[in-house]
Every structure is written in C-alpha cells, then in structure tokens.
Amino acid sequence: MKITRVEAIPFAIPYRKPLKFASGEVHVAEHVLVRVHTDDGIIGVAEAPPRPFTYGETQAGIIEVIDKIFAPQVVGLSLLERETMAARLARTVGNPAAKAAIDMAVWDALGRTLNVQVSELLGGYTDRMRVSHMLGFDEPAAMVAEAQRMREQHGITTFKVKVGRRPVSLDTAVVRALREGLGDDIELYVDGNRGWTASESAAAMKEMADLGLLFAEELCPADDVLGRRWLVSQLDVPFIADESAVTPADVTREVLAGSATAISIKIARTGFTHSQRVHHLAEGLGLEVVMGNQVDGQLGSICTVVFGASYRLTSRRAGELSNFLDMTDDLLTEPLEIHDGELTIRPGAGLGVEIDPDKLAHYRQDT
C-alpha cells in the first residue's frame, strides 16, 4: 500500500455558458486530474479545480506544486499514513485544492485496495444526497427558466442564487422572480461571494424578508469584522461562512466572533481528511452545514456526495452537486445522473468511478 507516484494532469472542458458571480466568472473548466499510484498497482483519482479569484491557485500552479513539492513528500508513504502526509503537505502554505486532491486520491486508492467504498470508510450514513443547483448571474427570466428546467428534468427543488451586484435591486428582483415563478415548495438561499457591504447586505435581506430564504452566504467580506458581526446579529436566517471558514480554526474564529452561524464544507479545498475535522467541529458546535461546490466536474461532485452521504449532519441539507450539468462533457466512463432531485454514490470500491482514457486523451492539456 505504498505510494509510488503522483500524477498531475491538466485538462480543459468548456462550459455551455459562463457561470458568473460576484468574485469572478468561469468559461472553461481548467482543472487538474490527480492520480496516486501504489506498489500494488492501484490508482486512486481526484479532481483539483483551481479558483484563482478565491484561493489564488491556477491550473499551472497546482501542477507545479504537486510535481515539485508535494509528490516527493508523499511518495514512499503508506496509504494509511494520512496524518504524516497531512503534516508534510502543511509545511507549504496555501494550495488547498492541490492538497485536497492528493488526499482524496489517497482515500480512493485505499478503498480500492481494501475493496471497500470510501463512503463506508468515512461513515456510511446513507448512499445519497438531495441536490441544490447554483444559479449564476443572468436576467430574472433566464434564471427562472433555468431553475424550471432543472426541476422538470432532474427533480431539483433547492436553488442557491448568486447575488452581490450593485444596485442590490438587480439581485433581489431575481430572487423574488424565482419565488413567484417556482412557488413556495422550492428552497432558496443566496450567496454574495463577498460582493456587498454589510449595509447593502442588510438592505437586501430586508427587501427579501418575505421570500422564505433558507440561508444567506458570504454576503459581505469577513475582513469587515464589525460590519459582518452587525449584519449577522440582525438576520433571522443562518449565515453561512464559506471561503472565510476553511479550516477548523477559521470556523472557530468566525463562530465565536458572531460572524457566522453555519458553514459550507467543500472537499475540493479540504479533502476528506480535513473535511472530517471541520464536520466534527460543526457537529460539536451545533452548526448547520451545507456541502458546497467549487464549480466541480463529475469527479469532484462524486467526491462531494461520497463525503456528504457519510454523515447525518452533512446529508440533512441539499448539497451543491449539479454544476457539472453546465459542462459540455466530462471524464468519467459512466456519467453521473441526477434523478428525483438526488445524486447517489456509485457501487464499487473506492469512489466507484473510472476515468475514460479516450476522453482524458482528448481534453488533457499537456500533450
């Protein structure tokens, strides 16, 4: 079970339409496939989606740090030496997606070696999650039409709405149109990606007070310490800390400061090992948890549902698992399918998925 090699393979798959939000927009999934090889001939896989406007990582940077720094640190370790691995990777600051992908590929390799599903290794609570679909910036009619299509074709009834534009009425009008167009039987919440000030956020939430929102997420920057505390203190819905609360220390700081009352776990930035720590802390603090999405492809999305389905707390709410539907293609041999608003884990050892070699050859960027 010793690691013999770590590969970082760049690939690029276009989106059908750009996903736009307050901190940036994405036109092409320029991701990195990470493969961990062992001396038993096992290969574990994971996906690293760089988000330079949030975490500072790029596709080229992920490849460089894995090839030059991380791979030499983990080659020779056993798949069971995850704490040693985490300690070695932690010597290098930042690079969350690169670290997370290595961690998840190791878990996949371990599951394949033991002939056990990763979800069983993690907790095995259930085999599925409800799906939340993320709606990026567009005109109200277009966003309502997209939500209606997702409900009709995939049974999705929970929607995360990107907000953060100025004037705030641009976004409050969209949320109102979604509620009026889709009715009261759907769940809606908003994510500002730090686009508004605290006062703008308060005004927007007051304007949407009658729309039955589930959550508000990262409406204003966490660096606006007093403003965010003031905002959270007056909200009557849980306030999700996302990019401001990545590590257990971040979560503790934000919650104790009164700057958040719920958190988003994204395995694309904390892997399985560190996401476990965040989950256990949230459980102990009694926080609501949403499984988030880093605009992942299908491999990243199956990793999210594998982790989220492993625990009662993370499977309680709909997870952000559907943005791969906006991609023109993907790398898996058997594409993921959302039925009746749910995504299930795959049978089989590890993550239960395989990479299509022909698709990888077509989309990889290093040949």
Side-chain angles (χ1 to χ4, degrees):
M1 288 198 291
K2 288 192 178 297
I3 298 171
T4 57
R5 183 185 176 198
V6 179
E7 287 183 279
I9 303 169
F11 67 94
I13 300 175
Y15 285 94
R16 292 188 174 89
K17 65 181 183 64
L19 179 62
K20 300 178 181 181
F21 35 92
S23 59
E25 58 184 69
V26 181
H27 295 259
V28 179
E30 295 180 313
H31 295 179
V32 179
L33 175 67
V34 173
R35 297 199 289 206
V36 170
H37 299 249
T38 76
D39 58 358
D40 297 315
I42 298 294
I43 302 175
V45 297
E47 177 181 15
R51 292 294 167 258
F53 40 77
T54 304
Y55 306 108
E57 288 177 290
T58 64
Q59 185 185 62
I62 287 173
I63 293 167
E64 187 75 6
V65 77
I66 289 177
D67 287 346
K68 299 294 179 60
I69 299 177
F70 293 155
Q73 290 176 336
V74 303
V75 167
L77 292 178
S78 163
L79 297 174
L80 298 173
E81 295 180 280
R82 293 188 301 278
E83 285 297 305
T84 301
M85 197 176 309
R88 291 184 181 181
L89 298 184
R91 296 172 187 165
T92 302
V93 299
N95 300 283
K99 294 174 180 176
I102 292 173
D103 176 76
M104 292 187 289
V106 165
W107 278 87
D108 183 37
L110 180 61
R112 292 170 186 263
T113 301
L114 301 177
N115 197 29
V116 174
Q117 293 178 323
V118 171
S119 61
E120 294 175 316
L121 293 173
L122 289 169
Y125 181 73
T126 184
D127 67 347
R128 66 195 61 216
M129 287 187 69
R130 289 190 299 121
V131 175
S132 170
H133 183 69
M134 186 163 59
L135 298 167
F137 293 159
D138 209 330
E139 295 300 318
M143 294 177 70
V144 171
E146 181 179 352
Q148 289 173 330
R149 178 171 59 85
M150 289 295 162
R151 181 169 64 175
E152 292 168 3
Q153 294 182 5
H154 304 287
I156 296 172
T157 57
T158 301
F159 297 93
K160 171 177 174 172
V161 187
K162 289 294 186 178
V163 298
R165 293 177 291 182
R166 293 185 174 91
V168 299
S169 57
L170 286 173
D171 293 327
T172 58
V174 167
V175 180
R176 187 166 298 278
L178 286 164
R179 176 58 75 201
E180 292 175 353
L182 299 174
D184 294 333
D185 60 336
I186 65 161
E187 297 179 330
L188 292 174
Y189 60 108
V190 293
D191 176 14
N193 289 111
R194 314 173 309 282
W196 287 331
T197 65
S199 59
E200 288 171 331
S201 303
M205 291 302 291
K206 185 175 182 180
E207 194 171 326
M208 297 184 289
D210 62 326
L211 299 182
L213 298 181
L214 276 184
F215 305 111
E217 179 178 325
E218 296 284 5
L219 297 182
C220 63
D223 289 347
D224 182 6
V225 178
L226 295 181
R228 180 141 143 176
R229 186 183 304 170
W230 168 81
L231 171 66
V232 173
S233 70
Q234 60 183 287
L235 296 182
D236 59 1
V237 298
F239 188 94
I240 297 174
D242 178 9
E243 53 264 40
S244 63
V246 176
T247 69
D250 295 335
V251 173
T252 303
R253 181 196 65 234
E254 292 300 299
V255 171
L256 292 185
S259 299
T261 50
I263 62 166
S264 174
I265 293 178
K266 291 182 176 177
I267 51 84
R269 68 186 178 206
T270 43
F272 293 143
T273 300
H274 288 288
S275 293
Q276 281 184 311
R277 294 172 181 170
V278 175
H279 165 271
H280 297 338
L281 175 63
E283 191 175 47
L285 293 173
L287 301 175
E288 289 255 29
V289 173
V290 171
M291 291 304 300
N293 185 297
Q294 206 154 293
V295 199
D296 305 310
Q298 293 191 23
L299 180 54
S301 297
I302 199 65
C303 286
T304 299
V305 75
V306 161
F307 184 90
S310 296
Y311 305 102
R312 182 176 65 90
L313 178 60
T314 47
S315 61
R316 182 182 301 159
R317 294 290 187 180
E320 297 160 12
L321 301 166
S322 65
N323 279 98
F324 66 84
L325 295 173
D326 293 326
M327 294 172 63
T328 56
D329 202 355
D330 216 288
L331 298 182
L332 300 188
T333 56
E334 296 183 30
L336 302 184
E337 294 183 355
I338 298 170
H339 295 290
D340 298 323
E342 294 181 330
L343 186 60
T344 61
I345 63 175
R346 290 292 179 83
L351 297 171
V353 296
E354 300 294 340
I355 302 298
D356 186 315
D358 293 332
K359 289 188 176 184
L360 178 60
H362 180 70
Y363 292 113
R364 66 186 299 163
Q365 301 291 291
D366 57 350
T367 57

